[in-house]
Amino acid sequence: DQQVKQNSPSLSVQEGRISILNCDYTNSMFDYFLWYKKYPAEGPTFLISISSIKDKNEDGRFTVFLNKSAKHLSLHIVPSQPGDSAVYFCAASGVSNYQLIWGAGTKLIIKP
Amino acid sequence: EAQVTQNPRYLITVTGKKLTVTCSQNMNHEYMSWYRQDPGLGLRQIYYSMNVEVTDKGDVPEGYKVSRKEKRNFPLILESPSPNQTSLYFCASSLTGTGLYGYTFGSGTRLTVV
């Protein structure tokens, strides 16, 4: 049973618009949630994280929102740029559990 | 430059021929981990290590071995590779392993077992 789900395998967004990537989880014990970005032929790179005690974290064009009651998080990218085209993975971690649980990824395509 | 280095980047081998994928980090990280990435399944953890001589199974450890004799190195060993181990493999390291500081990943090793 997948504890972290990214239900959209791909998403296409116009350059300059907002990209919203979604992630759902089932385990209420997760303490940290992370987003990673992956280009082809490269390893994932850490993008942004959020602790379960917060509901929002911002870093430049990237904002992550956490809705604990719905067990849902989302990554907003504003404005979207061509270099944002990549696969985005959501991952979750518990403080006492030294593992990251990963979603299957969403391929984001930014159209010029 | 802070990095995780994996070798080789690409490997084609035959069923049953033992192989080792090396992983080295230069950040003095305590935590290291191996993942495999398969289409539609995201990243699945194979093994992880909290420190030297401390290793533990992840979600898909069958058919793999690891060792952590030094802090910087964490090789992945396939004693008798099989075609279902054809995958993209990533090594990662982190200060603590809890996810708080994020993980640094290597560039990946694409393994094909025929």
Side-chain angles (χ1 to χ4, degrees):
Chain A
D1 181 34
Q2 277 191 295
Q3 296 187 65
V4 177
K5 292 182 185 177
Q6 292 176 259
N7 291 318
S8 300
S10 67
L11 175 68
S12 189
V13 174
Q14 203 74 34
E15 182 179 355
R17 299 287 188 102
I18 183 171
S19 294
I20 301 176
L21 297 120
N22 293 305
C23 180
D24 296 297
Y25 62 96
T26 58
N27 189 340
S28 58
M29 300 299 289
F30 287 140
D31 282 312
Y32 292 99
F33 301 90
L34 303 91
W35 284 95
Y36 279 80
K37 176 179 177 178
K38 185 183 178 304
Y39 292 120
E42 293 183 15
T45 54
F46 173 67
L47 202 53
I48 191 169
S49 65
I50 187 167
S51 162
S52 61
I53 62 173
K54 295 188 173 183
D55 54 20
K56 178 181 172 182
N57 188 27
E58 263 181 282
D59 184 1
R61 296 186 299 114
F62 302 92
T63 303
V64 56
F65 295 93
L66 175 62
N67 182 336
K68 280 178 291 189
S69 60
K71 294 193 179 70
H72 177 84
L73 67 154
S74 60
L75 175 68
H76 293 210
I77 306 173
V78 184
S80 300
Q81 298 174 354
D84 296 330
S85 293
V87 176
Y88 289 79
F89 290 97
C90 141
S93 164
V95 171
S96 60
N97 180 3
Y98 299 99
Q99 293 182 265
L100 288 185
I101 309 298
W102 296 77
T106 297
K107 184 175 184 178
L108 177 64
I109 301 161
I110 305 301
K111 298 180 291 186
Chain B
E1 182 191 349
Q3 59 185 0
V4 175
T5 304
Q6 288 179 234
N7 281 298
R9 288 295 306 272
Y10 301 92
L11 179 59
I12 301 174
T13 190
V14 296
T15 299
K17 185 176 180 182
K18 180 179 178 180
L19 67 92
T20 299
V21 184
T22 63
C23 175
S24 180
Q25 51 95 2
N26 62 0
M27 296 165 281
N28 203 36
H29 282 169
E30 309 247 316
Y31 181 92
M32 296 185 75
S33 181
W34 276 103
Y35 291 88
R36 59 179 288 173
Q37 183 190 1
D38 300 291
L41 295 177
L43 280 80
R44 293 181 294 166
Q45 190 176 47
I46 303 170
Y47 269 94
Y48 64 97
S49 169
M50 296 301 300
N51 212 326
V52 176
E53 303 291 1
V54 180
T55 63
D56 212 342
K57 295 178 181 177
D59 298 315
V60 289
E62 295 77 21
Y64 304 95
K65 280 175 59 177
V66 292
S67 69
R68 187 96 182 269
K69 292 184 169 49
E70 309 162 274
K71 199 171 190 179
R72 62 183 292 127
N73 296 322
F74 191 45
L76 179 70
I77 302 154
L78 285 73
E79 295 270 3
S80 183
S82 62
N84 65 11
Q85 291 178 297
T86 292
S87 188
L88 180 57
Y89 291 86
F90 289 102
C91 179
S93 75
S94 175
L95 201 58
T96 64
T98 62
L100 176 60
Y101 301 104
Y103 289 13
T104 303
F105 281 82
S107 299
T109 296
R110 185 164 291 282
L111 172 65
T112 303
V113 184
V114 298

PDB file of all heavy atoms in Angstrom, chain A residues 34-57:
ATOM      1  N   LEU A  34       8.997  16.547   2.085  1.00  0.00           N
ATOM      2  CA  LEU A  34      10.012  17.158   1.237  1.00  0.00           C
ATOM      3  C   LEU A  34       9.602  17.048  -0.227  1.00  0.00           C
ATOM      4  O   LEU A  34       8.915  16.106  -0.629  1.00  0.00           O
ATOM      5  CB  LEU A  34      11.355  16.431   1.421  1.00  0.00           C
ATOM      6  CG  LEU A  34      11.921  16.362   2.835  1.00  0.00           C
ATOM      7  CD1 LEU A  34      11.464  15.104   3.552  1.00  0.00           C
ATOM      8  CD2 LEU A  34      13.438  16.397   2.797  1.00  0.00           C
ATOM      9  N   TRP A  35      10.058  18.023  -0.999  1.00  0.00           N
ATOM     10  CA  TRP A  35       9.897  17.973  -2.448  1.00  0.00           C
ATOM     11  C   TRP A  35      11.270  17.935  -3.088  1.00  0.00           C
ATOM     12  O   TRP A  35      12.177  18.693  -2.697  1.00  0.00           O
ATOM     13  CB  TRP A  35       9.124  19.184  -2.969  1.00  0.00           C
ATOM     14  CG  TRP A  35       7.653  19.119  -2.709  1.00  0.00           C
ATOM     15  CD1 TRP A  35       6.976  19.662  -1.653  1.00  0.00           C
ATOM     16  CD2 TRP A  35       6.674  18.470  -3.527  1.00  0.00           C
ATOM     17  NE1 TRP A  35       5.643  19.396  -1.762  1.00  0.00           N
ATOM     18  CE2 TRP A  35       5.423  18.666  -2.903  1.00  0.00           C
ATOM     19  CE3 TRP A  35       6.717  17.754  -4.728  1.00  0.00           C
ATOM     20  CZ2 TRP A  35       4.229  18.167  -3.436  1.00  0.00           C
ATOM     21  CZ3 TRP A  35       5.536  17.252  -5.254  1.00  0.00           C
ATOM     22  CH2 TRP A  35       4.307  17.469  -4.608  1.00  0.00           C
ATOM     23  N   TYR A  36      11.391  17.044  -4.075  1.00  0.00           N
ATOM     24  CA  TYR A  36      12.619  16.919  -4.830  1.00  0.00           C
ATOM     25  C   TYR A  36      12.301  17.109  -6.304  1.00  0.00           C
ATOM     26  O   TYR A  36      11.219  16.772  -6.774  1.00  0.00           O
ATOM     27  CB  TYR A  36      13.237  15.522  -4.640  1.00  0.00           C
ATOM     28  CG  TYR A  36      14.008  15.377  -3.378  1.00  0.00           C
ATOM     29  CD1 TYR A  36      13.365  15.148  -2.168  1.00  0.00           C
ATOM     30  CD2 TYR A  36      15.386  15.464  -3.373  1.00  0.00           C
ATOM     31  CE1 TYR A  36      14.084  15.019  -0.999  1.00  0.00           C
ATOM     32  CE2 TYR A  36      16.119  15.328  -2.210  1.00  0.00           C
ATOM     33  CZ  TYR A  36      15.462  15.101  -1.033  1.00  0.00           C
ATOM     34  OH  TYR A  36      16.173  14.972   0.122  1.00  0.00           O
ATOM     35  N   LYS A  37      13.295  17.602  -7.017  1.00  0.00           N
ATOM     36  CA  LYS A  37      13.183  17.831  -8.453  1.00  0.00           C
ATOM     37  C   LYS A  37      14.217  16.952  -9.135  1.00  0.00           C
ATOM     38  O   LYS A  37      15.344  16.820  -8.640  1.00  0.00           O
ATOM     39  CB  LYS A  37      13.488  19.310  -8.709  1.00  0.00           C
ATOM     40  CG  LYS A  37      13.521  19.771 -10.118  1.00  0.00           C
ATOM     41  CD  LYS A  37      13.817  21.273 -10.076  1.00  0.00           C
ATOM     42  CE  LYS A  37      13.939  21.858 -11.440  1.00  0.00           C
ATOM     43  NZ  LYS A  37      14.188  23.320 -11.377  1.00  0.00           N
ATOM     44  N   LYS A  38      13.831  16.337 -10.245  1.00  0.00           N
ATOM     45  CA  LYS A  38      14.779  15.449 -10.922  1.00  0.00           C
ATOM     46  C   LYS A  38      14.770  15.708 -12.418  1.00  0.00           C
ATOM     47  O   LYS A  38      13.743  15.600 -13.080  1.00  0.00           O
ATOM     48  CB  LYS A  38      14.433  13.985 -10.627  1.00  0.00           C
ATOM     49  CG  LYS A  38      15.449  13.019 -11.209  1.00  0.00           C
ATOM     50  CD  LYS A  38      15.060  11.586 -10.965  1.00  0.00           C
ATOM     51  CE  LYS A  38      16.074  10.646 -11.594  1.00  0.00           C
ATOM     52  NZ  LYS A  38      16.271  10.858 -13.035  1.00  0.00           N
ATOM     53  N   TYR A  39      15.973  16.005 -12.925  1.00  0.00           N
ATOM     54  CA  TYR A  39      16.166  16.100 -14.378  1.00  0.00           C
ATOM     55  C   TYR A  39      16.619  14.734 -14.888  1.00  0.00           C
ATOM     56  O   TYR A  39      17.217  13.954 -14.137  1.00  0.00           O
ATOM     57  CB  TYR A  39      17.233  17.135 -14.718  1.00  0.00           C
ATOM     58  CG  TYR A  39      16.851  18.563 -14.410  1.00  0.00           C
ATOM     59  CD1 TYR A  39      17.607  19.319 -13.517  1.00  0.00           C
ATOM     60  CD2 TYR A  39      15.764  19.177 -15.021  1.00  0.00           C
ATOM     61  CE1 TYR A  39      17.286  20.637 -13.247  1.00  0.00           C
ATOM     62  CE2 TYR A  39      15.428  20.492 -14.752  1.00  0.00           C
ATOM     63  CZ  TYR A  39      16.194  21.209 -13.857  1.00  0.00           C
ATOM     64  OH  TYR A  39      15.863  22.517 -13.588  1.00  0.00           O
ATOM     65  N   PRO A  40      16.388  14.452 -16.180  1.00  0.00           N
ATOM     66  CA  PRO A  40      16.875  13.198 -16.751  1.00  0.00           C
ATOM     67  C   PRO A  40      18.383  13.053 -16.572  1.00  0.00           C
ATOM     68  O   PRO A  40      19.115  14.032 -16.659  1.00  0.00           O
ATOM     69  CB  PRO A  40      16.512  13.328 -18.236  1.00  0.00           C
ATOM     70  CG  PRO A  40      15.387  14.284 -18.272  1.00  0.00           C
ATOM     71  CD  PRO A  40      15.625  15.257 -17.156  1.00  0.00           C
ATOM     72  N   ALA A  41      18.825  11.849 -16.309  1.00  0.00           N
ATOM     73  CA  ALA A  41      20.250  11.506 -16.176  1.00  0.00           C
ATOM     74  C   ALA A  41      20.920  12.194 -14.982  1.00  0.00           C
ATOM     75  O   ALA A  41      22.151  12.287 -14.923  1.00  0.00           O
ATOM     76  CB  ALA A  41      21.029  11.823 -17.452  1.00  0.00           C
ATOM     77  N   GLU A  42      20.124  12.689 -14.049  1.00  0.00           N
ATOM     78  CA  GLU A  42      20.689  13.262 -12.826  1.00  0.00           C
ATOM     79  C   GLU A  42      19.961  12.693 -11.626  1.00  0.00           C
ATOM     80  O   GLU A  42      18.827  12.208 -11.726  1.00  0.00           O
ATOM     81  CB  GLU A  42      20.544  14.786 -12.818  1.00  0.00           C
ATOM     82  CG  GLU A  42      21.365  15.489 -13.860  1.00  0.00           C
ATOM     83  CD  GLU A  42      21.230  17.000 -13.748  1.00  0.00           C
ATOM     84  OE1 GLU A  42      20.745  17.484 -12.713  1.00  0.00           O
ATOM     85  OE2 GLU A  42      21.607  17.686 -14.712  1.00  0.00           O
ATOM     86  N   GLY A  43      20.596  12.790 -10.454  1.00  0.00           N
ATOM     87  CA  GLY A  43      19.915  12.394  -9.236  1.00  0.00           C
ATOM     88  C   GLY A  43      18.939  13.464  -8.789  1.00  0.00           C
ATOM     89  O   GLY A  43      19.030  14.619  -9.211  1.00  0.00           O
ATOM     90  N   PRO A  44      17.965  13.106  -7.948  1.00  0.00           N
ATOM     91  CA  PRO A  44      17.030  14.105  -7.424  1.00  0.00           C
ATOM     92  C   PRO A  44      17.774  15.173  -6.633  1.00  0.00           C
ATOM     93  O   PRO A  44      18.776  14.876  -5.971  1.00  0.00           O
ATOM     94  CB  PRO A  44      16.118  13.285  -6.500  1.00  0.00           C
ATOM     95  CG  PRO A  44      16.286  11.872  -6.925  1.00  0.00           C
ATOM     96  CD  PRO A  44      17.683  11.757  -7.431  1.00  0.00           C
ATOM     97  N   THR A  45      17.287  16.398  -6.688  1.00  0.00           N
ATOM     98  CA  THR A  45      17.852  17.482  -5.889  1.00  0.00           C
ATOM     99  C   THR A  45      16.780  18.025  -4.956  1.00  0.00           C
ATOM    100  O   THR A  45      15.628  18.215  -5.354  1.00  0.00           O
ATOM    101  CB  THR A  45      18.417  18.623  -6.753  1.00  0.00           C
ATOM    102  OG1 THR A  45      17.399  19.060  -7.659  1.00  0.00           O
ATOM    103  CG2 THR A  45      19.611  18.165  -7.545  1.00  0.00           C
ATOM    104  N   PHE A  46      17.194  18.285  -3.739  1.00  0.00           N
ATOM    105  CA  PHE A  46      16.273  18.771  -2.721  1.00  0.00           C
ATOM    106  C   PHE A  46      15.782  20.163  -3.083  1.00  0.00           C
ATOM    107  O   PHE A  46      16.562  21.048  -3.451  1.00  0.00           O
ATOM    108  CB  PHE A  46      16.998  18.778  -1.371  1.00  0.00           C
ATOM    109  CG  PHE A  46      16.231  19.411  -0.264  1.00  0.00           C
ATOM    110  CD1 PHE A  46      15.065  18.829   0.206  1.00  0.00           C
ATOM    111  CD2 PHE A  46      16.674  20.580   0.323  1.00  0.00           C
ATOM    112  CE1 PHE A  46      14.358  19.404   1.236  1.00  0.00           C
ATOM    113  CE2 PHE A  46      15.972  21.160   1.354  1.00  0.00           C
ATOM    114  CZ  PHE A  46      14.811  20.580   1.821  1.00  0.00           C
ATOM    115  N   LEU A  47      14.477  20.365  -2.948  1.00  0.00           N
ATOM    116  CA  LEU A  47      13.869  21.644  -3.347  1.00  0.00           C
ATOM    117  C   LEU A  47      13.396  22.431  -2.123  1.00  0.00           C
ATOM    118  O   LEU A  47      13.840  23.530  -1.853  1.00  0.00           O
ATOM    119  CB  LEU A  47      12.685  21.337  -4.266  1.00  0.00           C
ATOM    120  CG  LEU A  47      12.174  22.393  -5.210  1.00  0.00           C
ATOM    121  CD1 LEU A  47      13.282  22.946  -6.067  1.00  0.00           C
ATOM    122  CD2 LEU A  47      11.085  21.794  -6.097  1.00  0.00           C
ATOM    123  N   ILE A  48      12.521  21.850  -1.360  1.00  0.00           N
ATOM    124  CA  ILE A  48      11.904  22.542  -0.232  1.00  0.00           C
ATOM    125  C   ILE A  48      11.279  21.514   0.695  1.00  0.00           C
ATOM    126  O   ILE A  48      10.901  20.426   0.248  1.00  0.00           O
ATOM    127  CB  ILE A  48      10.845  23.557  -0.722  1.00  0.00           C
ATOM    128  CG1 ILE A  48      10.385  24.486   0.394  1.00  0.00           C
ATOM    129  CG2 ILE A  48       9.674  22.861  -1.397  1.00  0.00           C
ATOM    130  CD1 ILE A  48       9.545  25.666  -0.091  1.00  0.00           C
ATOM    131  N   SER A  49      11.195  21.840   1.970  1.00  0.00           N
ATOM    132  CA  SER A  49      10.580  20.918   2.917  1.00  0.00           C
ATOM    133  C   SER A  49       9.629  21.684   3.833  1.00  0.00           C
ATOM    134  O   SER A  49       9.633  22.904   3.879  1.00  0.00           O
ATOM    135  CB  SER A  49      11.642  20.204   3.752  1.00  0.00           C
ATOM    136  OG  SER A  49      12.334  21.138   4.571  1.00  0.00           O
ATOM    137  N   ILE A  50       8.839  20.923   4.570  1.00  0.00           N
ATOM    138  CA  ILE A  50       7.940  21.522   5.550  1.00  0.00           C
ATOM    139  C   ILE A  50       7.782  20.569   6.722  1.00  0.00           C
ATOM    140  O   ILE A  50       7.679  19.354   6.540  1.00  0.00           O
ATOM    141  CB  ILE A  50       6.571  21.873   4.915  1.00  0.00           C
ATOM    142  CG1 ILE A  50       5.705  22.666   5.901  1.00  0.00           C
ATOM    143  CG2 ILE A  50       5.837  20.625   4.425  1.00  0.00           C
ATOM    144  CD1 ILE A  50       4.497  23.316   5.254  1.00  0.00           C
ATOM    145  N   SER A  51       7.793  21.138   7.894  1.00  0.00           N
ATOM    146  CA  SER A  51       7.558  20.356   9.098  1.00  0.00           C
ATOM    147  C   SER A  51       6.051  20.238   9.322  1.00  0.00           C
ATOM    148  O   SER A  51       5.287  21.116   8.935  1.00  0.00           O
ATOM    149  CB  SER A  51       8.208  21.065  10.290  1.00  0.00           C
ATOM    150  OG  SER A  51       7.681  20.589  11.500  1.00  0.00           O
ATOM    151  N   SER A  52       5.644  19.178  10.005  1.00  0.00           N
ATOM    152  CA  SER A  52       4.215  18.961  10.238  1.00  0.00           C
ATOM    153  C   SER A  52       3.600  19.984  11.194  1.00  0.00           C
ATOM    154  O   SER A  52       2.379  20.067  11.315  1.00  0.00           O
ATOM    155  CB  SER A  52       3.978  17.554  10.772  1.00  0.00           C
ATOM    156  OG  SER A  52       4.642  17.383  12.000  1.00  0.00           O
ATOM    157  N   ILE A  53       4.438  20.780  11.848  1.00  0.00           N
ATOM    158  CA  ILE A  53       3.883  21.799  12.754  1.00  0.00           C
ATOM    159  C   ILE A  53       3.560  23.094  12.001  1.00  0.00           C
ATOM    160  O   ILE A  53       3.023  24.037  12.581  1.00  0.00           O
ATOM    161  CB  ILE A  53       4.829  22.099  13.937  1.00  0.00           C
ATOM    162  CG1 ILE A  53       6.160  22.675  13.447  1.00  0.00           C
ATOM    163  CG2 ILE A  53       5.050  20.846  14.765  1.00  0.00           C
ATOM    164  CD1 ILE A  53       7.051  23.153  14.586  1.00  0.00           C
ATOM    165  N   LYS A  54       3.911  23.132  10.727  1.00  0.00           N
ATOM    166  CA  LYS A  54       3.624  24.316   9.920  1.00  0.00           C
ATOM    167  C   LYS A  54       2.584  23.990   8.859  1.00  0.00           C
ATOM    168  O   LYS A  54       2.337  22.815   8.550  1.00  0.00           O
ATOM    169  CB  LYS A  54       4.898  24.811   9.239  1.00  0.00           C
ATOM    170  CG  LYS A  54       5.949  25.298  10.198  1.00  0.00           C
ATOM    171  CD  LYS A  54       7.081  25.944   9.449  1.00  0.00           C
ATOM    172  CE  LYS A  54       8.068  26.586  10.412  1.00  0.00           C
ATOM    173  NZ  LYS A  54       9.158  27.281   9.709  1.00  0.00           N
ATOM    174  N   ASP A  55       1.985  25.016   8.268  1.00  0.00           N
ATOM    175  CA  ASP A  55       1.081  24.768   7.161  1.00  0.00           C
ATOM    176  C   ASP A  55       1.544  25.415   5.856  1.00  0.00           C
ATOM    177  O   ASP A  55       0.936  25.206   4.810  1.00  0.00           O
ATOM    178  CB  ASP A  55      -0.351  25.207   7.496  1.00  0.00           C
ATOM    179  CG  ASP A  55      -0.407  26.657   7.952  1.00  0.00           C
ATOM    180  OD1 ASP A  55       0.537  27.415   7.662  1.00  0.00           O
ATOM    181  OD2 ASP A  55      -1.394  27.029   8.597  1.00  0.00           O
ATOM    182  N   LYS A  56       2.663  26.136   5.944  1.00  0.00           N
ATOM    183  CA  LYS A  56       3.173  26.790   4.732  1.00  0.00           C
ATOM    184  C   LYS A  56       4.659  27.050   4.891  1.00  0.00           C
ATOM    185  O   LYS A  56       5.134  27.405   5.974  1.00  0.00           O
ATOM    186  CB  LYS A  56       2.423  28.115   4.531  1.00  0.00           C
ATOM    187  CG  LYS A  56       2.862  28.935   3.343  1.00  0.00           C
ATOM    188  CD  LYS A  56       2.062  30.228   3.281  1.00  0.00           C
ATOM    189  CE  LYS A  56       2.588  31.166   2.219  1.00  0.00           C
ATOM    190  NZ  LYS A  56       1.838  32.449   2.207  1.00  0.00           N
ATOM    191  N   ASN A  57       5.385  26.874   3.791  1.00  0.00           N
ATOM    192  CA  ASN A  57       6.797  27.244   3.769  1.00  0.00           C
ATOM    193  C   ASN A  57       7.128  27.769   2.386  1.00  0.00           C
ATOM    194  O   ASN A  57       6.768  27.165   1.375  1.00  0.00           O
ATOM    195  CB  ASN A  57       7.685  26.034   4.111  1.00  0.00           C
ATOM    196  CG  ASN A  57       9.138  26.434   4.293  1.00  0.00           C
ATOM    197  OD1 ASN A  57       9.424  27.567   4.649  1.00  0.00           O
ATOM    198  ND2 ASN A  57      10.049  25.511   4.056  1.00  0.00           N
TER     199      ASN A  57
END
